[in-house]
Amino acid sequence: MDMHNHASMSSKIEDVKSKKSKEAEGEKKEQYTCPMHPEVVSDKPGNCPKCGMTLVKKEEQADQNKMVIEHYNTLYWTHVTNILLGFFLIASPFTFGYQSAAMTYSDIISGVLLVVFSLLSANPFRLWAPWASSFVGVWLLFAPLAFWSPDASAYITDTIVGILAIGLSVLIPEMPGMMKMMMTMPPGPETPPGWTYNPSTWLQRTPIIILAWIGFFASRYLAAYQLGYITHVWDPFFGNGTEKVLTSAVSKSFPISDGGLGSFSYTIEALMGYMGMSNRWRTMPWMVAFFGILVIPLGVTSIVLIILQPVSVGFWCSVCLLTAITMVVMIPLTLDEVVAMIQFMNKRMKAGKPFWKTFWMGDTIEGGSDDKRTPRFTESITKTIPAMNWGMNLPWNLLITLAIGLWWMFYPGNFGVTGAVANNFTTLGALVITFSVMAMAEVGRAMRFINILFALWLIIAVFLIQAVPSNAVWNAVISGVLLIALSFPKGKIREKYGTFDRYIV
């Protein structure tokens, strides 16, 4: 009996050992992989050595892959359409009779590449292929400018196909890998911590996208004249001023059409406005950063260059001024999203997160909230239109400083003031307008103080420059003092911006 009990006990112990051994063996077989790089496999949790993303269990990865495949099964038409566009490009030089050999080769090669990359994009896990298709689209936007295409048909073909290639490769089907990134990213807020609205919503981006397309069409009109497709440019205010500007030595100093370069820039800005979801301030910091660079510093530079035309060329250009207006309004509409992204990056760095991983891959953040305030597009325009302008208002003092800037710009030409003092009025007037409009963004309200420097500059300049008319001196002194006084009131601040509130002074 004792021997029987001993044998029974030994059998149970062996069973337990066998079970533990199998469990241990199962644990050893548990493997982890990267959602973005399936070739990375590890037997323990961790981060991907290639991109830094959190590794997930292979079983979870299989489920995610199935969801991705099911999602992209409904979007293969985008790549099929790009294949059609590729064949259209290949046929275009022969159909339209291109005069330029460079444009002929460019469209044929670009068409072949678009077909190949679009075929490869059919695999949703081949993430580089859609990006390759989009870069073909970017080249198509630039090629007619680089080769000074003599064919209007080539310019319009490449522009339309380029825009569609980008949209069909990375915008409509979502940016490559975005779905898998969102699956593995911990849930997070839509509205930034401490903010009263979400600066990345489609309603917030809508006016920026519309303004970018207006700038695109205006700039393309100028490019058509510079490239020789039309023989005259309509100017409702300055006669042949636009043509004088477009054929000036300053304009010809650019290696490509400066109107075409503006059209290219506006196109990229408009397309970037479509990218990402309504929480891209934290999921796509790199996109918000590049979008902000295109619109804010480069925008200010282009505005100043356009406004300096009467100084450097001696003529005004109505269409050029239209493009400058679109750009100057885009800047305050963009500032809030850039501030939200910088706040997010700063908080993640303080939490010990790696900068570049967070910048390229995004992350979540504590605090914030779901966006329950933003209305739907289907709601009344009395709700949707105000939502497009949250974060921006029109304080009375900034409207007057804007008027002072306009007065300075047009004063010399209407009162016979010439020379260095006229150049100072015109240049500083343009800068006052730019920074007054930028300060209309609540997060940019402190920029109004820069106008004080411009006022002091003009007051000092009229006393240092010789033979300045007395009316110009009085104009500079009176309007300059008024500008200084009007730069102090802050105006109403309707929204909250978390930790950035203390910088709104």
Side-chain angles (χ1 to χ4, degrees), residues 89 98 103 107 140-141 143-144 154-163:
L89 268 179
Y98 287 6
M103 284 301 301
D107 275 15
L140 289 171
L141 296 174
Y155 186 32
I156 190 66
T157 296
D158 281 20
T159 300
I160 293 175
V161 174
I163 292 171

Side-chain angles (χ1 to χ4, degrees), residues 47 50 53 69 98 120 130 142 155 198 208 216 255 258 277 283 285 306 338 369 386 391 394 409 448 456 471:
N47 295 323
K50 292 186 175 181
M53 288 189 69
I69 291 171
Y98 287 6
L120 294 171
F142 192 75
Y155 186 32
N198 178 3
I208 301 173
F216 161 75
D258 53 343
M277 295 178 289
T283 58
I306 290 170
V338 174
S369 61
L394 307 175
M409 279 182 61
R448 72 192 187 280
L456 294 173
N471 68 325

Side-chain angles (χ1 to χ4, degrees), residues 58-74 76 124-125 179-180 183:
K58 270 200 166 183
E59 291 81 358
E60 295 178 10
Q61 175 73 355
D63 292 338
Q64 291 176 4
N65 289 348
K66 182 179 179 181
M67 291 176 63
V68 169
I69 291 171
E70 290 175 351
H71 174 70
Y72 282 102
N73 275 341
T74 64
Y76 283 140
F125 304 108
M179 185 177 180
K180 295 191 73 172
M183 286 183 193

